[in-house]
Amino acid sequence: MTPNDRYSARRATFQELVRSPEPLLLAGAYDALSARLVERAGFPATYLGSFGAAASTFALPDVGLLTLTELADAARRMAAATSLPVLVDGEAGFYEAPNVWRAVEAFEAAGVVGMHIEDNLGGKHTSRPAGLLRTEEMTQKIRAALEARTDSNFMIIARSDAAWVTGDIEECVTRLEAYVAAGADMVFAPAVPAVELREIRSRIDAPFMVAGDLNDAPGGNRPSSTIEEYAAAGADVVLLWFSLLGAAAQGVVDTLDALKGGREVADLDRIISQHTFEDFMGYADYERRAAAYDAPGTDR
């Protein structure tokens, strides 16, 4: 099977997961290793967001600093490291409608199963004033992205941050309806709570993705609704875009604090053993290959 065949098969699998009766819990990875851990845990798919990629690759905030090439390269490494379908954050498409084809081409070549394009003009995760792209401009980007793809199973997902930026659920729904009419394969509204989703779900004729770990409380770490509430409200995909990155950072902080406080490494119970780590990193596969190519009588 060629890489193109393999990635095409993953896209078909992801389509099935999205349209299955049970909502898909999409655990977001932040690099190739975490993607492999998602697979090891038994999740059927994973995700790469610009927040995680900026943090893990460059230790930078998610304020629009990543280039298309940098994000596509990170996605490519993740898709190569796992057999799971990988969905990617396509920011605002990186370009205006006539040039969105380049982002679609880059992510298709990276082997991911789809990308979401947002109508947010910036200011996410900061106190800076945020804005929204005009609905007409966003629909043109969606149409351009759909025409640019070469694999019909490559999903073009329309994200609206209207509920986040303005707090206006009705504006968000109106935008999502327009994006579906433009041909979007799925919609994503990260700041719509389950109680609102239950009321609007019937108006959106496409699969619906929500964020299950959105930090919407000042200084807090709580999602707007639980995974169970979103599932009951009709979400097709519940994305955990931050949880794994947050857990990894907390684990490192706790370990460093313990070591600084005088604890011995042998006393730390949150560190995976080296041999267990080596097991899922593929050292056994190397051993088998090395044994197959050892020359008889070779001195070591």
Side-chain angles (χ1 to χ4, degrees):
M1 181 180 290
T2 67
N4 283 342
D5 291 337
R6 183 165 62 249
Y7 295 143
S8 183
R10 293 185 195 182
R11 290 166 189 151
T13 296
F14 190 71
Q15 293 268 358
E16 293 173 3
L17 290 169
V18 167
R19 289 175 169 79
S20 65
E22 295 298 318
L24 170 64
L25 182 60
L26 191 59
Y30 51 88
D31 62 7
L33 173 58
S34 57
R36 186 168 291 180
L37 291 173
V38 171
E39 181 172 18
R40 179 176 182 268
F43 286 81
T46 190
Y47 168 85
L48 175 65
S50 60
F51 190 101
S56 63
T57 308
F58 300 104
L60 287 173
D62 184 24
V63 290
L65 294 170
L66 288 185
T67 67
L68 169 61
T69 301
E70 289 167 342
L71 192 50
D73 284 347
R76 181 179 295 104
R77 289 191 293 271
M78 188 180 288
T82 176
S83 63
L84 296 181
V86 177
L87 180 66
V88 73
D89 176 358
E91 297 277 57
F94 288 93
Y95 309 106
E96 298 306 315
N99 292 333
V100 164
W101 64 266
R102 190 163 187 261
V104 175
E105 181 181 73
F107 287 126
E108 273 197 317
V112 301
V113 298
M115 59 187 282
H116 62 72
I117 302 172
E118 66 194 45
D119 57 14
N120 196 317
L121 290 176
K124 291 181 300 181
H125 315 297
T126 75
S127 61
R128 303 298 299 170
L132 294 169
L133 192 68
R134 288 192 307 113
T135 301
E136 295 77 10
E137 292 180 72
M138 180 66 176
T139 57
Q140 294 290 55
K141 285 191 179 187
I142 295 166
R143 292 190 181 100
L146 290 166
E147 291 177 4
R149 66 184 177 186
T150 60
D151 185 340
S152 60
N153 282 328
F154 183 86
M155 295 194 79
I156 302 299
I157 301 165
R159 166 177 168 166
S160 179
D161 282 355
W164 185 352
V165 172
T166 69
D168 189 335
I169 298 294
E170 184 59 32
E171 180 184 0
C172 182
V173 176
T174 300
R175 283 173 169 268
L176 294 178
E177 288 175 325
Y179 302 162
V180 172
D185 298 306
M186 181 160 67
V187 296
F188 178 26
V192 173
V195 64
E196 300 285 358
L197 178 63
R198 186 185 298 275
E199 297 298 320
I200 66 175
R201 184 64 188 89
S202 62
R203 295 171 56 185
I204 306 299
D205 188 23
F208 203 117
M209 182 164 70
V210 296
D213 55 4
L214 181 67
N215 298 333
D216 65 343
N221 191 35
R222 296 185 176 183
S224 54
S225 303
T226 66
I227 295 170
E228 291 76 13
E229 288 170 340
Y230 272 130
D236 298 285
V237 180
V238 180
L239 171 64
L240 304 179
W241 60 271
F242 177 72
S243 295
L244 298 191
L245 177 62
Q250 188 64 61
V252 172
V253 168
D254 290 347
T255 299
L256 291 172
D257 285 348
L259 292 173
K260 191 175 180 180
R263 290 187 65 185
E264 295 290 336
V265 173
D267 297 330
L268 300 178
D269 56 6
R270 297 295 296 263
I271 299 179
I272 195 169
S273 76
Q274 177 184 334
H275 293 303
T276 300
F277 187 83
E278 290 173 349
D279 280 345
F280 62 76
M281 285 301 295
Y283 282 83
D285 292 334
Y286 168 78
E287 294 286 359
R288 284 191 289 271
R289 290 195 303 271
Y293 298 121
D294 272 346
T298 300
D299 293 329
R300 292 282 184 187

